[in-house]
Amino acid sequence: MTQSIRPNSFELMLNPSASSNTVYGAAQAEVLNADGLSAAKKIISRWPGYAPTPLVDLPGIAAAADTGSLHYKNEAHRFGLKSFKPLGGAYAVYRCVEAEIVKATGNSDVDPDAIMSGQFADIAAGVTVTAATDGNHGRSVAWGARMFGCRCVIFINEAVSEGREKAIAGYGAEVRRNPGSFDDAVRAAAATAGSESWHVIPDTSDGIIVEAPRNVTQGYAVMAAEAIEQLPYDGPPTHVFLQAGVGGMAAASCAQFWQSFGAGKPKIILVEPKTAACWFASLRASQPVAISGELDSLMGGLACGEVSQLAWKILKPGTDAAMTLEDEAGADTMRLLAEGRHGDTPLVAGESGVAGLAGFLAAASDVHARETLGLNGTSRVVVFGTEGATDPETYEAIVGKTPDQVAP
Ligand SMILES: Cc1ncc(COP(=O)(O)O)c(C=O)c1O
């Protein structure tokens, strides 16, 4: 195949703690479960513009990679926010506003349509939500805050592009740039929420703040649930490659495949940038390991140094293998999709959104990795294209075309 990934440009490791041939257990169901998913679906499907995103068949790439099929869940247009993230952040904002309405009215069964129609606008206006972000989560929380009528303050770190900052501010949020990394911004948001009596909506859990990140993760599960319903074949896929930052998206997706297919679930392979591979390090050590130092990656949404404790409960046993990639693999994959290089329809995909696909392409092009993962000509692979051109300037600089030129 023509994918220009250099040999040895990735690292692959089997997870020593994998126990995914067992059923989805109580420890995992405590984090994500069927009731949580149906509650999330009930709310999210009411939001203006909700529709399942497409699961795109990519037969050209599948053939070039010598595998049976490849399906790509395309999140490039979710709610017009260009990523899967509103499913999580905005859903957690909804739950937060709902809890405040319950507290203020004493009614524990508030009608979601009444919240959506602004019937409790005065209560919502008194709520301030805050979050740290590398871009997409903040946009999602800001969008949710605007939809439900509360105030929003978002913390970003030094490396977040101006384009992403402006997009968040565009939803009416106050944006504060914090020195240091994403993980430093997470701590700043939590500390400010504590001193100001705001509600912090993190997309990661330190094990102390649990409820909001659980809602975020449960909202993400809607994406994988849609994908499972859209699969054009009976039974599970064989392999799912999932990009990981703090691991919320991967945990939600893994949990959904695991609950749906039990011990027959697909192999779950986590993919991270080499410079911020906290999952790779943690799985290797069989315990959460924080990565310090320069975490910078082109795949900014994945540039996290600490795993979410909630995601850990699902991904420690549920992950089969982990990979690290160089940034160039992500950029190459963006261009491959934009060109429709193997005859597939051209797709717009952002830096962090392509990492799962990039991991699949790297593994499929390496004899040893194919053998390790059991990838072959009949494999049925699923990846999640978790963002489109969330930063159009960066997209054009990498791909050489604007998003509109790629997919008019
Ligand atoms: C586009 C995109 N994909 C994937 C991820 C990773 O999600 P998580 O941090 O839940 O692992 C992010 C995180 O911001 C993202 O923005």
Side-chain angles (χ1 to χ4, degrees), residues 44-56:
I44 291 170
S45 59
R46 284 178 152 81
W47 297 349
Y50 172 76
T53 54
L55 184 71
V56 183

Side-chain angles (χ1 to χ4, degrees), residues 1-20:
M1 59 188 292
T2 53
Q3 172 75 1
S4 61
I5 290 174
R6 296 184 302 284
N8 307 322
S9 64
F10 69 93
E11 212 180 332
L12 171 68
M13 173 197 73
L14 289 174
N15 173 18
S17 308
S19 59
S20 53

Side-chain angles (χ1 to χ4, degrees), residues 107-125:
N107 176 6
S108 61
D109 189 22
V110 186
D111 179 3
D113 292 329
I115 297 179
M116 291 300 299
S117 67
Q119 207 171 302
F120 301 102
D122 51 338
I123 301 170

Side-chain angles (χ1 to χ4, degrees), residues 43-111:
I43 299 305
I44 291 170
S45 59
R46 284 178 152 81
W47 297 349
Y50 172 76
T53 54
L55 184 71
V56 183
D57 190 7
L58 297 175
I61 301 179
D66 196 12
T67 50
S69 66
L70 172 65
H71 287 91
Y72 177 97
K73 179 75 168 156
N74 188 4
E75 294 295 308
H77 304 290
R78 177 81 73 181
F79 288 118
L81 269 75
K82 304 184 191 166
S83 89
F84 76 105
K85 282 273 175 176
L87 294 173
Y91 177 60
V93 173
Y94 174 88
R95 286 288 171 213
C96 172
V97 170
E98 179 192 56
E100 289 303 300
I101 294 168
V102 168
K103 218 190 286 174
T105 60
N107 176 6
S108 61
D109 189 22
V110 186
D111 179 3

Side-chain angles (χ1 to χ4, degrees), residues 343-375:
D344 297 314
T345 309
L347 292 173
V348 174
E351 308 89 275
S352 302
V354 294
L357 175 57
F360 160 64
L361 292 168
S365 65
D366 181 276
V367 175
H368 178 64
R370 289 180 77 89
E371 202 179 303
T372 305
L373 296 176
L375 273 173

